[in-house]
Amino acid sequence: MLTERQRLILNAIVDDYIRSAEPVGSRSISRRGDVGFSPATIRNEMADLEELGFLEQPHTSAGRIPSHKGYRYYVDHLDPIYQALPAELRTLRTFFAEKLNASEQVIQHAAMILSHITNYTSILLGPEVFHTSLRHFQLLPLNETTAVAIIVTSTGQVESKTVTVPSGVSVSEMEKVVNLLNSKLVNVPLYKLKTRLYRELGEEMQRHLTNFEETMSILDSIFMEEDTDQRVYLSGATNMLTQPEFKDVEKVKDILDLLEETSTLTKMMTSMQGAAGIQVRIGTENDHEAFANCSLITATYSIDGEALGTIGILGPTRMEYAKVINLLGILSNDMTKMLSKLNK
């Protein structure tokens, strides 16, 4: 537990560092009207906070910066005093006043608005990622070398794809595959199909199929993750380039590369989707090393109390947490209302 004085000083350091991106010294903190301690007292407390792991001293600078532990304490004890600016609220309200007639449009526009208001990167998952599942699968041979795969989803959507049939794979083997998939994978969400196919059906298919590897190559081409990827919406990815701490090109490259791996993003976002309220992952709390110097804040939106998707903001650990948390709360509530209307 920190003392009240330590809490005040830590909060002041985090606030100043968020604004300036420069190490914070005791003298600048002492000038703040909400602290009221002498530079000497603040220096002593800063030394204690550093020893406790809440602050770090970069290089030989006299100033300190928050550690990931310091950011975590700051977020966990954040006073909900941030009020969205009138211009920010107008932008959000104007967006929801527009006559958007499809869920996908709502999600795409929301991603753009979030990245514009915050100057960070927005990541949104459409509700299809969680709730569109396989209803029926069919594989129709056209000739000896090609077939048409037909996927019917729980929303009634029919997707078809022409695939090449490797030599040696017979019609009877293809029928076995179709029967197996329809008996085992119906009602499985589309984004989980490939994982479940290998994890749960791999051994069984290997036992029943003569040309197992060739048949699996057909299924690979049918259940390519591009369909899932299209349901991940990104906006403002290059906003990372404007942050002072990401002047190192290699750091930014790792982040941008990961943002292109939409299947990885889907897993990261779905792992946060089940929890209620606003979720904050700071630095190394994230599931991927590329985000070790970033914070990811997410909120869910729902219909009739059922979570349908996730809104996320990715930025540096030196993020305006109060602002982002407030805006995500507003946006997730408004998206819930709008999508509920569209769903009626």
Side-chain angles (χ1 to χ4, degrees), residues 157-197:
Q157 184 177 356
V158 179
E159 299 177 9
S160 62
K161 187 178 292 187
T162 302
V163 294
T164 301
V165 180
S167 60
V169 177
S170 65
V171 172
S172 61
E173 283 197 309
M174 289 167 63
E175 288 176 353
K176 287 180 186 177
V177 170
V178 170
N179 292 334
L180 194 57
L181 264 60
N182 283 320
S183 66
K184 301 287 187 179
L185 297 183
V186 168
N187 297 325
V188 172
L190 295 185
Y191 79 97
K192 290 184 177 178
L193 278 179
K194 207 166 183 181
T195 302
R196 293 279 289 271
L197 179 66

Side-chain angles (χ1 to χ4, degrees), residues 37-196:
F37 304 117
S38 69
T41 299
I42 294 170
R43 274 195 299 276
N44 289 335
E45 294 290 11
M46 287 171 72
D48 289 343
L49 287 167
E50 184 179 357
E51 190 173 334
L52 290 167
F54 291 95
L55 297 177
E56 296 173 351
Q57 186 173 23
H59 313 300
T60 56
S61 167
R64 305 294 198 283
I65 65 173
S67 65
H68 290 172
K69 181 179 178 181
Y71 283 123
R72 171 48 62 193
Y73 184 91
Y74 174 86
V75 170
D76 289 347
H77 297 81
L78 195 62
D79 293 324
I81 57 173
Y82 180 85
Q83 296 294 322
L85 298 174
E88 294 169 346
L89 283 174
R90 276 197 303 274
T91 301
L92 289 174
R93 301 308 181 200
T94 301
F95 159 57
F96 285 104
E98 292 175 0
K99 294 181 179 179
L100 301 174
N101 57 9
S103 300
E104 187 170 348
Q105 283 182 291
V106 174
I107 295 163
Q108 286 175 325
H109 283 242
M112 289 187 289
I113 283 169
L114 268 181
S115 62
H116 173 72
I117 292 177
T118 62
N119 288 320
Y120 300 132
T121 301
S122 63
I123 309 167
L124 278 82
L125 291 190
E128 298 88 354
V129 171
F130 305 108
H131 290 284
T132 300
S133 55
L134 178 68
R135 179 182 290 171
H136 183 70
F137 176 70
Q138 224 172 337
L139 197 58
L140 304 176
L142 296 178
N143 52 48
E144 292 182 357
T145 57
T146 56
V148 174
I150 299 173
I151 299 172
V152 182
T153 71
S154 57
T155 60
Q157 184 177 356
V158 179
E159 299 177 9
S160 62
K161 187 178 292 187
T162 302
V163 294
T164 301
V165 180
S167 60
V169 177
S170 65
V171 172
S172 61
E173 283 197 309
M174 289 167 63
E175 288 176 353
K176 287 180 186 177
V177 170
V178 170
N179 292 334
L180 194 57
L181 264 60
N182 283 320
S183 66
K184 301 287 187 179
L185 297 183
V186 168
N187 297 325
V188 172
L190 295 185
Y191 79 97
K192 290 184 177 178
L193 278 179
K194 207 166 183 181
T195 302
R196 293 279 289 271

Side-chain angles (χ1 to χ4, degrees), residues 2-9 37:
L2 298 183
T3 66
E4 181 63 16
R5 184 161 70 188
Q6 288 173 330
R7 187 186 70 80
L8 281 172
I9 291 171
F37 304 117

